[in-house]
Amino acid sequence: MPKIVDRDEYRRELLDKCLSLFSKIGYGNVTIREIARELEVSTGTLYHYFPTKKSILESLLEHVSVQGISKYKSIINGSKDVKVKIELLSNYLLENEEYFKNVILLAVDLFRNSPAWKVDGAFTKISLQYRSLISEELQLSEEISKSFFIFLVGLVFHRILTPDHISYKTQVSMMRDLMLNVAVI
Amino acid sequence: MPKIVDRDEYRRELLDKCLSLFSKIGYGNVTIREIARELEVSTGTLYHYFPTKKSILESLLEHVSVQGISKYKSIINGSKDVKVKIELLSNYLLENEEYFKNVILLAVDLFRNSPAWKVDGAFTKISLQYRSLISEELQLSEEISKSFFIFLVGLVFHRILTPDHISYKTQVSMMRDLMLNVAVI
Amino acid sequence: MPKIVDRDEYRRELLDKCLSLFSKIGYGNVTIREIARELEVSTGTLYHYFPTKKSILESLLEHVSVQGISKYKSIINGSKDVKVKIELLSNYLLENEEYFKNVILLAVDLFRNSPAWKVDGAFTKISLQYRSLISEELQLSEEISKSFFIFLVGLVFHRILTPDHISYKTQVSMMRDLMLNVAVI
Amino acid sequence: MPKIVDRDEYRRELLDKCLSLFSKIGYGNVTIREIARELEVSTGTLYHYFPTKKSILESLLEHVSVQGISKYKSIINGSKDVKVKIELLSNYLLENEEYFKNVILLAVDLFRNSPAWKVDGAFTKISLQYRSLISEELQLSEEISKSFFIFLVGLVFHRILTPDHISYKTQVSMMRDLMLNVAVI
DNA sequence: TATGAATGAGGCTTCATTCAT
DNA sequence: AATGAATGAAGCCTCATTCAT
């Protein structure tokens, strides 16, 4: 049993270090050897922990999304006032652009390199979590929560492709204002 | 005399037939031989018209975006009333989801397989065209036009990843309503 | 019949223009298209006059060696005195280093790209012609003529590989002196 | 632990086995797969030890020339008498025609497939070594040493192209006699 | 468990040659 | 006769994966 725990813990460590490599270079353009070099292990070792290259990708999105949600929860968690929550969400978004970019980029890599149902599964899970958090915490309807999430996805995606032509800060502010408008009493 | 061919015209024909292949399977997962088979030419012919595999991808986004813009313009063009324009835009969006998906998927492939500046260039161009059309035709501020475009990008992207969990029609309607709200008089 | 004459004449013109291309870049590294471009004809035309790429190479050595021999003969021809002949030969060598390089380079290309017997045939022919000229004109024994020819070949070959480390002029002079020594009375 | 291998040693072994293949068939006409088959390794392994096909060629000339020089040195080394040395050299030449052919053929392949400066570098090195050995050991002037080396190169080259029309033995004997003549006391 | 040498299928690209016009 | 678009076999090289140590 302790062995098992170590194994999983080590897997997570390896995944953490993969993230930047994958989002910078892209799954399809990284070789196993590059991954191994970055993680400072041999390719053989890598294959002890992951059966295939693809499995690294798939584990990674799972791993990353779990991290993000819990971070978000811990931020929103305390407060009760909706206005405050919206403010906290806005700040959370502003401070974690990089993280969102990584998730989107991973989703893209997964989309291009895994069967559709796996992508759908993984991304639906993430999408659902965020959307239900929004709708529950901010008291917004299902459909409107979706809209906000969609906007967020579009914003990050656009920023990835052309970072200089969209102001992340401005757009997040606009979203926050709209939320305040729609959410209140 | 050799076979008479309008090189540019033929290139465009080839590109047209590439589109579905690229968006379905993805640039990285299509082989030159598959492309050739799909286009019903030999690999040699392919290289007669495109110097590398990557150049096909790059030409394709250019090609596709040019097509889309002119289509959009021709639809909006006639009318003068802003309300009508919004309605037309909404219909245009509803009828061309597939096309938008293709553009987004191409942008993704380009992002993963071309130097950043090329992606930025190509996507910025598309983004600018749509945004300026929105801001000019619908009389909306720069920043708000961006927001709508961002939303559109997010919507299509989300639909690509998980088509069953977002209603395209509903979200487009909501966007239309918001536009009517913001645009008027 | 007049057609035939034109055809052969045209072939020779084409071959002439091939020579520099082949010796500069090498048979194996020139493409048919490059040859066609250099000769300012289409690849199709090229194939009207030569059945294969290899046949160009083979025709070329023949063509070039015929040229050289007659040139040499016309120079030596007039005089009767052996000393004068040696002097003329020496001058001929000095003024035609480039030509000898081309012949050697062609021989090399032929050697690497044609069946051994063809190379042997073509080069033996050239070798024989020069050697018999030397032995007859300069009154030297068979074997010694061979030695001089061998030296000449070595000199040109060495100059091709490392032009800066051997003085062509000096070595030709030394050869001339040796000839005078050996040939006399 | 992985298979224990002395990379450099193994590289040398591979090169050794390449030599005959290259000189028989020629660099340009051997495929990577043929090389691999001949060396009884996979193409992947080949690329594990050499970055490109061309690098094999380049390493090979280096490798071969180093071998030859040391062989030559070890033969000449002991004796002090110039006459004896000339005799030894003559024997060395007679017994190693094959080796000299290989070096010349490699030089030719290199010349046709590598940048000029690389060929010049490699061949100059070989030329220099032999020539300085001749001039030092046999007490001959720089220029005359060059002449002998040139003759040797020409002899081997001629033998490669038309082995039946030149007697290697006779020509080497003549060279030896000339050396004895020139070298004395 | 860890290593990295070995494998070989399969990718992209080139180019001699053919053939419709 | 002349053109150059079309062909596809074959070349070089990459890289996920396996396996001996």
Side-chain angles (χ1 to χ4, degrees):
Chain A
M1 185 64 79
K3 278 281 177 194
I4 298 293
V5 169
D6 283 345
R7 206 184 149 76
D8 284 358
E9 175 58 21
Y10 193 45
R11 265 178 63 105
R12 273 192 296 273
E13 277 177 40
L14 294 178
L15 286 176
D16 269 336
K17 294 195 214 156
C18 279
L19 182 56
S20 70
L21 201 57
F22 275 40
S23 54
K24 253 180 292 178
I25 308 184
Y27 171 80
N29 301 314
V30 197
T31 68
I32 282 282
R33 273 192 265 272
E34 280 175 300
I35 299 173
R37 198 183 316 126
E38 178 84 8
L39 307 199
E40 294 172 292
V41 298
S42 65
T43 61
T45 299
L46 215 47
Y47 275 87
H48 269 295
Y49 290 95
F50 301 94
T52 64
K53 188 189 174 194
K54 206 159 281 180
S55 76
I56 301 178
L57 177 63
E58 287 161 359
S59 309
L60 190 49
L61 185 61
E62 178 74 19
H63 175 67
V64 165
S65 64
V66 167
Q67 281 189 323
I69 295 291
S70 60
K71 202 173 175 187
Y72 175 55
K73 272 186 185 161
S74 72
I75 285 170
I76 299 288
N77 212 2
S79 49
K80 286 290 167 192
D81 182 21
V82 170
K83 277 190 178 177
V84 172
K85 280 178 182 172
I86 289 176
E87 208 61 44
L88 286 171
L89 171 60
S90 166
N91 289 335
Y92 170 69
L93 295 179
L94 286 174
E95 284 160 15
N96 289 280
E97 187 184 0
E98 215 48 40
Y99 164 76
F100 290 112
K101 280 186 175 174
N102 287 342
V103 175
I104 292 286
L105 286 172
L106 277 179
V108 161
D109 278 338
L110 202 64
F111 175 75
R112 274 316 190 197
N113 297 285
S114 278
W117 61 266
K118 250 183 202 167
V119 184
D120 194 284
F123 192 67
T124 296
K125 200 173 137 194
I126 297 177
S127 174
L128 266 176
Q129 287 179 306
Y130 277 97
R131 289 191 274 122
S132 61
L133 277 175
I134 293 173
S135 63
E136 285 165 23
E137 300 282 348
L138 310 189
Q139 312 272 31
L140 296 171
S141 82
E142 269 285 304
E143 215 56 44
I144 292 197
S145 302
K146 281 184 190 175
S147 301
F148 282 118
F149 185 71
I150 285 168
F151 180 81
L152 181 57
V153 167
L155 176 56
V156 175
F157 185 75
H158 204 306
R159 289 275 300 170
I160 288 171
L161 296 188
T162 107
D164 298 336
H165 292 269
I166 298 282
S167 161
Y168 187 65
K169 201 174 168 186
T170 308
Q171 293 294 332
V172 168
S173 298
M174 291 174 70
M175 178 170 151
R176 183 203 52 202
D177 294 345
L178 198 55
M179 277 181 164
L180 288 171
N181 247 16
V182 182
V184 203
I185 296 195
Chain B
M1 248 184 295
K3 208 178 277 188
I4 288 161
V5 174
D6 180 336
R7 272 189 84 86
D8 287 352
E9 175 57 21
Y10 194 46
R11 263 179 65 108
R12 275 191 294 272
E13 277 177 41
L14 294 177
L15 286 175
D16 270 336
K17 294 194 215 155
C18 277
L19 182 56
S20 70
L21 199 58
F22 275 39
S23 53
K24 252 181 292 177
I25 308 185
Y27 170 80
N29 299 315
V30 199
T31 70
I32 281 286
R33 279 189 263 266
E34 279 176 301
I35 298 173
R37 199 183 313 127
E38 177 84 8
L39 307 200
E40 293 172 291
V41 298
S42 64
T43 60
T45 298
L46 218 45
Y47 278 89
H48 194 68
Y49 291 94
F50 301 94
T52 62
K53 188 189 175 194
K54 204 161 282 179
S55 76
I56 301 179
L57 177 63
E58 288 162 359
S59 308
L60 191 49
L61 185 60
E62 178 74 19
H63 175 68
V64 165
S65 65
V66 168
Q67 281 188 324
I69 294 291
S70 60
K71 203 174 174 187
Y72 175 55
K73 270 185 186 164
S74 72
I75 285 171
I76 299 287
N77 213 3
S79 49
K80 286 291 166 191
D81 181 22
V82 170
K83 277 190 178 176
V84 172
K85 281 179 181 171
I86 290 176
E87 208 61 42
L88 287 171
L89 171 60
S90 165
N91 289 334
Y92 170 68
L93 295 180
L94 285 174
E95 284 160 14
N96 290 281
E97 186 184 0
E98 214 49 39
Y99 164 76
F100 290 112
K101 279 187 177 174
N102 286 341
V103 175
I104 291 286
L105 285 173
L106 278 178
V108 161
D109 278 338
L110 202 66
F111 177 75
R112 273 315 190 199
N113 296 286
S114 278
W117 62 267
K118 254 186 199 166
V119 184
D120 192 286
F123 193 67
T124 295
K125 202 172 136 195
I126 297 177
S127 172
L128 266 176
Q129 287 178 305
Y130 276 98
R131 289 191 274 120
S132 61
L133 278 175
I134 294 174
S135 64
E136 285 165 24
E137 301 283 348
L138 311 188
Q139 311 273 28
L140 295 172
S141 81
E142 269 285 304
E143 215 55 46
I144 291 197
S145 302
K146 280 184 190 175
S147 301
F148 282 118
F149 184 71
I150 286 168
F151 179 80
L152 181 58
V153 166
L155 176 55
V156 175
F157 185 74
H158 204 306
R159 288 276 299 169
I160 288 170
L161 296 187
T162 107
D164 299 335
H165 292 270
I166 298 281
S167 160
Y168 186 65
K169 201 173 168 185
T170 309
Q171 292 295 332
V172 169
S173 299
M174 292 175 67
M175 179 169 149
R176 185 202 51 201
D177 294 344
L178 198 53
M179 278 182 165
L180 288 172
N181 246 16
V182 183
V184 196
I185 293 199
Chain C
M1 187 62 80
K3 279 279 176 194
I4 300 294
V5 170
D6 282 345
R7 208 185 147 76
D8 284 358
E9 175 57 22
Y10 194 44
R11 266 179 63 105
R12 274 192 294 274
E13 277 177 39
L14 293 178
L15 287 175
D16 269 336
K17 294 195 212 156
C18 278
L19 181 57
S20 70
L21 201 57
F22 275 40
S23 54
K24 253 181 291 178
I25 307 184
Y27 171 80
N29 300 316
V30 197
T31 69
I32 282 282
R33 273 192 266 271
E34 280 176 300
I35 298 174
R37 199 183 314 127
E38 178 83 9
L39 307 199
E40 292 173 293
V41 298
S42 65
T43 60
T45 299
L46 216 47
Y47 274 88
H48 269 295
Y49 291 95
F50 301 94
T52 64
K53 187 188 173 192
K54 205 160 281 178
S55 75
I56 301 178
L57 176 64
E58 287 161 0
S59 309
L60 191 49
L61 186 61
E62 178 74 19
H63 175 68
V64 165
S65 65
V66 167
Q67 281 189 324
I69 294 291
S70 60
K71 202 173 175 185
Y72 176 54
K73 271 185 185 162
S74 72
I75 285 171
I76 299 287
N77 212 3
S79 50
K80 285 291 167 193
D81 181 20
V82 170
K83 276 191 179 177
V84 173
K85 282 179 180 172
I86 290 177
E87 208 61 43
L88 287 171
L89 171 60
S90 165
N91 289 335
Y92 170 69
L93 295 181
L94 287 174
E95 284 161 14
N96 291 281
E97 186 184 0
E98 214 49 39
Y99 165 76
F100 290 112
K101 279 186 175 175
N102 286 341
V103 175
I104 292 284
L105 286 173
L106 277 179
V108 162
D109 278 339
L110 203 65
F111 175 76
R112 274 313 191 201
N113 296 287
S114 278
W117 62 265
K118 251 183 202 168
V119 185
D120 193 286
F123 193 66
T124 296
K125 201 172 137 195
I126 297 178
S127 174
L128 266 176
Q129 287 179 305
Y130 275 98
R131 288 192 274 121
S132 60
L133 277 176
I134 293 174
S135 63
E136 285 165 23
E137 301 282 348
L138 311 189
Q139 312 272 30
L140 296 171
S141 81
E142 270 285 304
E143 215 56 46
I144 292 198
S145 302
K146 282 184 190 175
S147 301
F148 282 119
F149 184 71
I150 286 168
F151 179 81
L152 181 57
V153 167
L155 177 56
V156 175
F157 186 76
H158 204 305
R159 288 277 299 171
I160 288 170
L161 296 187
T162 107
D164 299 335
H165 292 268
I166 298 281
S167 160
Y168 186 66
K169 202 174 168 183
T170 308
Q171 292 294 332
V172 168
S173 300
M174 291 175 69
M175 179 169 149
R176 184 202 52 202
D177 294 345
L178 198 55
M179 278 181 165
L180 289 171
N181 247 16
V182 184
V184 204
I185 292 195
Chain D
M1 247 186 295
K3 209 178 276 186
I4 287 162
V5 173
D6 180 335
R7 272 189 85 85
D8 287 351
E9 175 57 22
Y10 194 47
R11 262 179 66 106
R12 274 190 296 272
E13 277 177 41
L14 293 178
L15 286 175
D16 270 336
K17 294 194 215 157
C18 278
L19 183 56
S20 70
L21 199 58
F22 274 40
S23 51
K24 251 181 293 176
I25 307 186
Y27 170 80
N29 301 313
V30 199
T31 70
I32 282 285
R33 279 190 262 266
E34 279 176 301
I35 299 173
R37 199 183 314 126
E38 177 84 9
L39 307 201
E40 292 172 293
V41 298
S42 65
T43 60
T45 298
L46 217 45
Y47 279 90
H48 194 69
Y49 290 95
F50 301 94
T52 62
K53 189 189 173 193
K54 204 160 282 179
S55 77
I56 301 178
L57 177 62
E58 288 163 359
S59 308
L60 191 49
L61 185 61
E62 178 74 19
H63 175 68
V64 166
S65 66
V66 167
Q67 281 189 323
I69 294 291
S70 60
K71 202 173 173 186
Y72 176 56
K73 271 186 185 161
S74 73
I75 284 170
I76 299 289
N77 212 3
S79 49
K80 286 291 167 192
D81 182 21
V82 170
K83 277 189 179 178
V84 173
K85 281 178 181 172
I86 290 175
E87 208 61 44
L88 287 171
L89 172 59
S90 165
N91 289 334
Y92 170 69
L93 295 180
L94 286 173
E95 284 161 15
N96 290 281
E97 187 185 359
E98 214 49 38
Y99 164 76
F100 291 113
K101 280 187 175 174
N102 286 341
V103 175
I104 292 286
L105 286 173
L106 277 179
V108 162
D109 277 339
L110 203 65
F111 176 75
R112 273 315 191 200
N113 297 285
S114 276
W117 63 265
K118 254 186 199 165
V119 184
D120 192 286
F123 192 67
T124 295
K125 201 173 138 194
I126 296 177
S127 173
L128 266 177
Q129 286 179 306
Y130 275 99
R131 289 191 274 121
S132 61
L133 278 175
I134 293 173
S135 64
E136 285 166 23
E137 299 284 348
L138 310 188
Q139 311 273 30
L140 294 172
S141 82
E142 271 283 306
E143 215 57 44
I144 292 195
S145 303
K146 281 184 190 176
S147 301
F148 281 118
F149 184 71
I150 286 168
F151 180 80
L152 181 58
V153 167
L155 177 55
V156 175
F157 186 74
H158 204 306
R159 289 276 298 170
I160 288 170
L161 295 187
T162 108
D164 298 336
H165 293 269
I166 298 280
S167 161
Y168 187 66
K169 202 173 167 183
T170 308
Q171 292 293 334
V172 168
S173 299
M174 292 175 69
M175 180 169 147
R176 184 202 51 202
D177 295 344
L178 199 54
M179 278 182 165
L180 288 171
N181 247 17
V182 183
V184 208
I185 289 178

